[in-house]
Amino acid sequence: MVAVEGTVHRSERANRGVELIPTAVEVIVRAEVPLPLGIVDKVGAELDTRLNHRVLDLRKPAVRAVFELRSSLLAGFRDAFIRRGFLEVETPKLLRQGAEGGATLFAVDYFDGRAYLAQSPQLYKQMLIGAGLERVFEIAPAFRAEPSDTVRHITEFASLDGEMGFIDSVEDVRNALEGIVTDAFITTKKDLAGRGNALAERIPEPKTPFPRIPFAKCVEWLGRPGSEEDLGTEDEKAIGEHVDREFGVPLYFITDYPTAIKAGTFYAQRQDTNPRLTYYFDLDFRGLEIASGGAREHRLDRLKANIESAGFDPEKFSGYLEAFRFGMPPHGGWGLGVDRVVQVLAGLPNIREARLFPRDRYRLDP
Ligand code: ATP
Ligand code: MG
């Protein structure tokens, strides 16, 4: 690391059009040699090597550019929420009970007992609707013990959650989400262009409304009409390609998820006219799920019945259920994976590159 004093001259030859002619050079600290990773490496080191030496890796302008995008995107999201009257909240990450129980909970020692890391702020943001906060959002880590080694799953991710009360229907939720995403993309694009960040060009300026494609239509496209099986990675990709051909847009909703798929999601509201379907949707971006959301069940008796049929004991959810005993309006919301959005926007092959210090099954360092 050096400090250089000198005068700046215009220069045709220099990349940035200026050259520094030094008058004094001071060595502040010496780096160890050889470096484990080239700062200007044309070949591109393996991702594992890069992540093992992340501090050096982050010094590369192209890597830094991703985190400028991320910072700008988060600012854009916050701004879009606040302009729509959402209140920023923080909910506990140490829980006695997971939102949906299940295999992806991390247990931690908690004094003489056991606690769990939050997989999502789901139950708390609903409780805040019951508390009269009406529109809330949170951007915070969520933890999932995902055993599968994929390029779109990590064990600690940034979840961007919105929840809104007094909705007329799930359409209100989709309208808010598509508006917030669109606004955030547009401000991020502008901000990055202003800083000369080349990633600005990759950011689409979406047009609302995004297409809304019923789940049933998607499985028809996939050649398995009537299927109530969840969509896999390859299915999502194929749907993304179909949407690109038919609508030429990057962002779209997959709506009306079958109840069979959402059975464990006890807070998902079943449709009035057809209980085989829920008012649940995904938002996908170029063939990758980036958000899931919907209208929630706000009627206590039905919610309890859903909890039981999902195989849970309503007693264990008494704190949550209390919020429904004294007046809960119709409400809905979503959880969106910030890291996945950064991954697609920056064109990163692996979600790990969208986080400064990613965590997965094998990586807790650095
Ligand atoms: P997937 O089916 O892709 O595993 P999911 O449906 O289990 O995701 P949700 O519970 O719907 O995930 O969570 C909401 C959003 O949070 C997802 O749409 C995704 O963007 C993000 N997300 C969920 N799990 C992860 C993870 N392990 N790593 C990164 N992002 C995640
Ligand atoms: Mg989902």
Side-chain angles (χ1 to χ4, degrees):
M1 181 173 286
V2 294
V4 179
E5 235 174 77
T7 45
V8 176
H9 294 266
R10 258 182 226 295
S11 159
E12 297 285 308
R13 285 176 306 157
N15 276 345
R16 298 189 183 177
V18 289
E19 229 170 4
L20 179 71
I21 311 294
T23 52
V25 178
E26 181 199 346
V27 176
I28 302 172
V29 280
R30 284 183 184 281
E32 284 178 26
V33 284
L35 296 178
L37 201 70
I39 300 297
V40 201
D41 80 273
K42 292 251 159 60
V43 184
E46 286 280 335
L47 184 56
D48 253 343
T49 314
R50 289 179 44 203
L51 294 178
N52 286 342
H53 306 283
R54 190 59 158 162
V55 170
L56 281 181
D57 186 51
L58 287 166
R59 286 192 196 168
K60 296 178 198 155
V63 178
R64 185 199 157 87
V66 172
F67 294 94
E68 276 180 17
L69 180 154
R70 189 175 172 116
S71 164
S72 175
L73 181 70
L74 287 172
F77 272 128
R78 275 207 167 80
D79 189 51
F81 270 117
I82 289 165
R83 275 192 290 111
R84 286 171 174 78
F86 283 76
L87 189 75
E88 181 159 12
V89 298
E90 292 152 289
T91 62
K93 302 306 154 204
L94 282 166
L95 310 179
R96 189 174 297 286
Q97 190 78 36
E100 293 156 71
T104 63
L105 272 177
F106 280 115
V108 294
D109 290 337
Y110 197 70
F111 302 102
D112 294 332
R114 160 174 276 219
Y116 298 95
L117 296 181
Q119 294 167 304
S120 129
Q122 180 62 35
L123 306 187
Y124 286 93
K125 56 182 183 160
Q126 290 188 262
M127 288 156 75
L128 293 175
I129 298 300
L133 299 192
E134 233 168 278
R135 288 183 157 208
V136 295
F137 78 99
E138 176 167 18
I139 306 174
F143 303 93
R144 295 194 190 177
E146 305 273 6
S148 52
D149 194 15
T150 78
V151 296
R152 60 196 196 117
H153 289 99
I154 37 186
T155 50
E156 179 182 26
F157 68 93
S159 186
L160 180 142
D161 282 84
E163 197 71 24
M164 42 206 286
F166 297 101
I167 56 170
D168 289 330
S169 80
V170 63
E171 253 317 276
D172 287 352
V173 180
R174 287 193 284 257
N175 289 338
L177 174 55
E178 69 185 358
I180 287 166
V181 168
T182 300
D183 287 2
F185 280 19
I186 290 171
T187 56
T188 302
K189 190 177 178 80
K190 252 194 219 139
D191 182 47
L192 293 184
R195 296 159 181 257
N197 185 322
L199 293 175
E201 281 173 29
R202 292 190 44 91
I203 301 180
E205 291 180 88
K207 297 257 180 311
T208 56
F210 302 167
R212 282 134 166 86
I213 306 149
F215 181 90
K217 185 88 198 159
C218 292
V219 289
E220 255 173 49
W221 288 348
L222 297 172
R224 40 169 213 264
S227 165
E228 294 193 336
E229 231 173 86
D230 206 357
L231 305 172
T233 313
E234 291 309 312
D235 300 331
E236 285 176 11
K237 271 192 201 149
I239 293 166
E241 283 160 16
H242 194 114
V243 170
D244 187 44
R245 281 198 302 275
E246 191 164 326
F247 301 94
V249 297
L251 288 146
Y252 47 94
F253 289 106
I254 300 176
T255 66
D256 306 276
Y257 260 75
T259 304
I261 296 176
K262 298 291 177 190
T265 312
F266 53 75
Y267 42 81
Q269 195 174 104
R270 280 61 169 154
Q271 295 193 1
D272 298 331
T273 48
N274 180 3
R276 287 186 73 85
L277 299 180
T278 63
Y279 293 117
Y280 254 58
F281 61 81
D282 276 2
L283 175 62
D284 281 36
F285 184 13
R286 300 203 167 110
L288 180 68
E289 174 191 328
I290 57 166
S292 285
R296 324 292 192 190
E297 183 50 73
H298 62 284
R299 295 156 295 190
L300 183 59
D301 51 336
R302 296 189 192 205
L303 182 56
K304 272 192 189 154
N306 287 355
I307 292 178
E308 274 166 2
S309 61
F312 302 118
D313 175 7
E315 276 302 302
K316 293 220 163 118
F317 293 92
S318 54
Y320 168 65
L321 290 174
E322 184 177 286
F324 294 76
R325 283 167 46 200
F326 310 110
M328 176 67 91
H331 64 284
W334 66 87
L336 173 145
V338 173
D339 312 275
R340 287 195 187 168
V341 176
V342 173
Q343 182 185 1
V344 181
L345 285 180
L348 306 171
N350 195 314
I351 192 170
R352 288 161 182 76
E353 294 183 66
R355 285 190 79 83
L356 291 169
F357 299 102
R359 291 286 175 259
D360 63 30
R361 180 176 188 151
Y362 304 104
R363 183 175 291 282
L364 281 169
D365 274 313

